[in-house]
Amino acid sequence: MARVVHELGGDTMAVFAGGGVTGRFVEEMLSQAGVPSSCLPIRGPTRISLTVREQASGAEYRFVPQGPRLDSAECTTILEAVGAIEADWLVASGSLPPGVPAEFYAGVAQTAARRGVKFALDTSGPALRASLGGGVDLLKPSLGEFESIVGCEYSKPSSRATRAVELVRSGAVRMIALTLGGDGAILATAEGALQLPAMAVKERTGVGAGDSFLAGLVLGLARGQSRDEALRLAIAAGAAAVAGIGTARVQRAEVEALYRGFRPEMAEKPVWAPLSGA
């Protein structure tokens, strides 16, 4: 995500727990990409996942090993580092390593709030459920992750939007950016739900689309764009990611072209749809 924000012209820093030769490899990749970074040392080797694309069929295979176990001292070091960050937005992305309690991200949200920093979260499983009510400013679940926390499936986009707004109004989170793949995305706040369709591109990969989407959304909000403008930037970044080959290797010119080519009238429903009780 930090790499995409950097490519789009935003000021960013990638903060990660790094250990072993793989941790040094991540540092080297960030350095080569020109992305400012801060490595927080851990004893175990950093996890690196691998995606293999079969050229004949276009199918992708993802290999995601389990990461190293972190102890309580390493968790404390990470929280302390987060507490010293100066930024408009702090984004936490990914599952929690073994040894890290499910409530960890809720602690990060509280630390960010004390610093006046907005906090965005992209995670799943127990860490996602434990974050609800913890002061997260922006939650970015996929449809499957969203349904896992609300307890049922929603086939109609209008039902998804309504439930997302209800979840926001309950105090679980301040905003929800629900990504729907080929059906676009929904941005829900206490005032209502904004739903925009996906952009028509030739899909080559699914790797990094969610990270690119979140990068565009947070960057747009940090720049003071309106919610519909920020959501359009997010969808453009996600579309650029799926149209390329590699891990979220978007190009700024392509994202900007997609953003400029998108028109609100492309949406099947009104761009901004307040719900009753707003």
Side-chain angles (χ1 to χ4, degrees), residues 142-143 178-185 196-199 203 235:
S142 65
L143 179 57
L178 175 56
T179 52
L180 304 170
D183 291 330
L196 294 178
M199 296 181 180
E203 184 175 341
I235 292 175

Side-chain angles (χ1 to χ4, degrees), residues 21-23 25-26 29 45-50 63-67:
V21 65
T22 48
F25 179 53
V26 172
M29 288 193 298
T46 300
R47 180 186 73 174
I48 291 185
S49 60
L50 175 68
F63 300 87
V64 185
Q66 187 177 59

Side-chain angles (χ1 to χ4, degrees), residues 152-245:
C152 63
E153 297 182 359
Y154 293 92
S155 58
K156 295 182 179 181
S158 59
S159 299
R160 299 165 186 164
T162 299
R163 187 66 184 94
V165 172
E166 290 173 349
L167 193 60
V168 171
R169 290 179 180 171
S170 74
V173 62
R174 294 187 178 89
M175 283 189 291
I176 295 175
L178 175 56
T179 52
L180 304 170
D183 291 330
I186 295 170
L187 181 61
T189 71
E191 290 75 36
L194 170 65
Q195 182 179 333
L196 294 178
M199 296 181 180
V201 296
K202 182 178 180 181
E203 184 175 341
R204 293 187 174 90
T205 182
V207 180
D211 290 331
S212 299
F213 172 93
L214 185 56
L217 182 58
V218 170
L219 180 59
L221 293 173
R223 286 173 169 171
Q225 291 182 323
S226 65
R227 285 172 288 196
D228 63 311
E229 290 172 334
L231 185 57
R232 287 205 297 271
L233 180 59
I235 292 175
V242 301
I245 298 296

